[in-house]
Amino acid sequence: MRHLAEFRVVLSIAALVSGVLLNGLTAYVAMRFAQRNAPLLYTEYKRVVWVAAGLFTVVPASLAAYWTYLGMVDPSHLPDRTAIAASVLALGTPLALAWVDRRYFRRREVAAEHEEEREQAGGRGARRPGGS
């Protein structure tokens, strides 16, 4: 516990880097999803999307790093509730978004693809070349 001050700074920096990477990856996937499924809206509001992705990446990561730093103040109460809340926030945010993505958005995307395949298959069977 003699080096707790240095350790909490290093751990906070690691939490910040980890949060930025995880949230950045999630924001990148969300932006690609928006670009693929709503290209007109994405092109019109590209700056808004980039700002939202940046805020989504930086704000939770900064909060998690700050709470990690605050949670390691008292060596007699480790792990602190604040540090645990910070780790849950840092890991929970991208995991929750990945769950929502797989649960709701992908399901709608797959259903739309199946509907499109059925329409194409139905269109081919209804037309007969050569008449009648």
Side-chain angles (χ1 to χ4, degrees):
M1 294 297 158
R2 286 183 283 169
H3 300 288
L4 183 62
E6 294 87 3
F7 181 70
R8 74 188 245 207
V9 169
V10 170
L11 195 60
S12 298
I13 292 170
L16 179 68
V17 169
S18 172
V20 166
L21 289 176
L22 283 173
N23 294 340
L25 183 62
T26 306
Y28 174 74
V29 169
M31 285 173 48
R32 289 196 30 111
F33 180 80
Q35 188 177 16
R36 184 175 57 241
N37 292 318
L40 296 175
L41 281 173
Y42 178 79
T43 9
E44 186 173 344
Y45 295 107
K46 188 179 258 187
R47 288 184 181 163
V48 174
V49 170
W50 277 91
V51 168
L55 287 175
F56 170 76
T57 301
V58 172
V59 170
S62 300
L63 285 174
Y66 181 66
W67 287 345
T68 300
Y69 183 78
L70 289 181
M72 300 184 73
V73 172
D74 189 11
S76 63
H77 291 357
L78 291 177
D80 192 3
R81 289 181 187 175
T82 310
I84 292 172
S87 65
V88 167
L89 173 74
L91 289 175
T93 303
L95 291 177
L97 284 173
W99 180 79
V100 166
D101 179 50
R102 290 177 192 266
R103 175 90 182 194
Y104 297 106
F105 297 135
R106 299 283 184 213
R107 182 182 298 166
R108 289 174 49 196
E109 187 175 281
V110 168
E113 287 175 2
H114 288 304
E115 182 67 30
E116 185 177 308
E117 289 173 0
R118 276 184 271 181
E119 287 177 2
Q120 289 176 354
R124 277 188 240 139
R127 292 182 183 171
R128 291 188 182 168
S132 189

